[in-house]
Amino acid sequence: MQSDDDAPGPLAAAQAADGAPARTRWPAVAALSVGVFALVSAEFLPAGTLTPMAAGLGATVGGAGQAVTATAVFGGFAALSTPLIAQRVERRVILFSMLGLLLLSDALAASATNLPTLFVARALLGLCIGGFWSLAGAVVLPLAAPGAFPRALSLLFGGVSLATVLAAPAAAFIAGLWGWRVAYWLATALAAFAGLLQFAALPRLGAGSAASAREFVEVSGRPTVFAALVSLIVLVAGHFAGFTYIRPLLERTARFDAPTVSAALLAFGLAGFLGNLLGAALAERSPRNAALIGAAAITLATAALALAGGNAAVVWGALIVWGAGFAIVPISYQTWVTTEAADRPEVAGGLLTAAFQVSIATGAMGGGFIVDRLGPASVDGAAAFAALAAAAAIILRTRTPATGPEIASGEAPAE
């Protein structure tokens, strides 16, 4: 552990500058986690509703899947612009505005009668996603006690894991019983509940520090940050190329019926819940190595799905490994990049979120092209190749950072 005589590392210094409390404000972090659950649930709805939604809107599966691309494009824009706005606006106000956009997006998607309306709704969701995740690390820093940042992030990303567990399978189940629109109306109600909870629980968070376009260039040019962003783009692009079109793969290749699709997505999500816990433990020791483990798991799982054909046992096993592996990715990269750029948390968060959204757009667009022409199994082959390339980038372009106590106490990673 760091002694009293040691100089604080960048993460601890950033927390001190933001007025980190002696004890972590867990109720506030939990309220943020509920908001994350509502946000990610909305993001994952197409995975469980894509087939009936496409049919209801008179579109191809690949065409309807471009709603995910619309979300990602606008998410990338919001990720880079929100840190510039945050320097003049109280961060809690920005969070409330994001939840308002989420509620509007869900309601508009539920009432959509054509693809353009759906794309507008999902574009609004992108603004919400990009805005929130660009501030996530900066918002958690003043709520977490020194040394508790990875654990606070784990609770925040618990909302991601829970949404992964419930959103896609529940949406598939609800769409089968009452139609895909009901799933979106329920998501609207969830967004409203999350807004009320955050209004009651969040303290004032203050405005962010000043940010400029030059700082985005400077932070992204730091070697480890650059390597992390490149590997993230490749890894997440491959993931979303496969996951956006997971329902068509399960239906056409594995021959799963609707209840089995729902159960398979539930297994994916449950594995993700466990993966989030594992990711927090790994990220406290070495976020770089945690990211590498996530990439390796996705490589193995998507390759197995591409080759499984109708082998149900392989499909089930691959989904479990994939769910656990991907759950490690957000928390490992968030901890990694925030630690490497702890002096500029909003800028780091904006870059990370923009990279994530670029990846989603690339993956969904490329996946839609592949699935309409070559079939869903080919998408998973592309996802496996991308994940393997990301793992190689992590190995070749970075060096192992410091472990356990130094990260946990906020000390800088070893160069």
Side-chain angles (χ1 to χ4, degrees):
M1 294 297 292
Q2 182 181 12
S3 69
D4 293 338
D5 295 332
D6 291 335
L11 195 58
Q15 287 183 280
D18 234 337
R23 294 184 177 180
T24 301
R25 293 169 176 163
W26 293 114
V29 179
L32 288 172
S33 185
V34 174
V36 168
F37 174 68
L39 183 66
V40 178
S41 292
E43 187 177 9
F44 279 10
L45 285 180
T49 62
L50 190 60
T51 303
M53 184 170 65
L57 297 176
T60 67
V61 168
Q66 299 315 307
V68 177
T69 304
T71 301
V73 168
F74 281 82
F77 170 79
L80 296 177
S81 59
T82 300
L84 303 178
I85 298 171
Q87 62 186 297
R88 294 185 294 271
V89 181
E90 216 278 335
R91 285 177 286 196
R92 187 174 59 168
V93 173
I94 298 177
L95 293 176
F96 293 156
S97 300
M98 295 300 115
L99 284 173
L101 282 177
L102 175 61
L103 192 151
L104 178 60
S105 167
D106 289 337
L108 188 60
S111 57
T113 57
N114 51 54
L115 277 182
T117 303
L118 179 65
F119 289 165
V120 170
R122 302 299 289 186
L124 292 176
L125 176 63
L127 294 177
C128 178
I129 290 171
F132 175 82
W133 286 117
S134 67
L135 294 181
V139 167
V140 173
L141 276 176
L143 298 176
F149 182 64
R151 280 172 284 156
L153 274 183
S154 178
L155 177 57
L156 183 73
F157 281 103
V160 176
S161 298
L162 192 60
T164 306
V165 170
L166 297 177
F173 180 77
I174 291 168
L177 288 181
W178 302 299
W180 63 272
R181 295 183 189 278
V182 175
Y184 282 87
W185 283 122
L186 289 175
T188 305
L190 178 60
F193 172 73
L196 292 174
L197 193 62
Q198 288 191 16
F199 183 80
L202 285 181
R204 291 186 62 84
L205 297 169
S209 55
S212 66
R214 179 178 298 176
E215 288 175 316
F216 279 101
V217 174
E218 187 276 322
V219 172
S220 65
R222 299 178 186 181
T224 303
V225 173
F226 180 77
L229 293 175
V230 169
S231 65
L232 177 70
I233 289 173
V234 177
L235 177 60
V236 177
H239 165 79
F240 273 92
F243 188 71
T244 300
Y245 304 98
I246 189 65
R247 179 163 180 163
L249 177 127
L250 296 177
E251 290 174 334
R252 299 178 190 176
T253 303
R255 305 297 181 186
F256 286 4
D257 57 17
T260 308
V261 168
S262 181
L265 292 175
L266 179 61
F268 181 98
L270 287 171
F273 185 80
L274 297 177
N276 177 64
L277 300 177
L278 176 62
L282 293 172
E284 284 197 13
R285 294 184 58 82
S286 170
R288 177 260 195 191
N289 288 344
L292 180 59
I293 290 170
I298 295 172
T299 301
L300 293 174
T302 50
L305 282 173
L307 301 173
N311 190 317
V314 174
V315 171
W316 281 96
L319 286 173
I320 291 170
V321 173
W322 190 0
F326 185 71
I328 296 172
V329 170
I331 190 170
S332 61
Y333 277 94
Q334 184 79 56
T335 304
W336 190 9
V337 174
T338 302
T339 301
E340 292 291 339
D343 56 318
R344 307 298 306 136
E346 290 94 351
V347 173
L351 288 169
L352 188 68
T353 306
F356 215 100
Q357 298 306 313
V358 167
S359 306
I360 296 172
T362 303
M365 184 178 297
F369 179 86
I370 294 171
V371 76
D372 280 346
R373 289 161 178 79
L374 302 176
S378 298
V379 181
D380 287 288
F385 180 80
L388 181 62
I394 294 171
I395 294 171
L396 296 175
R397 302 292 298 175
T398 66
R399 289 174 294 200
T400 304
T403 58
E406 293 145 323
I407 294 290
S409 64
E411 292 184 15
E415 290 298 321

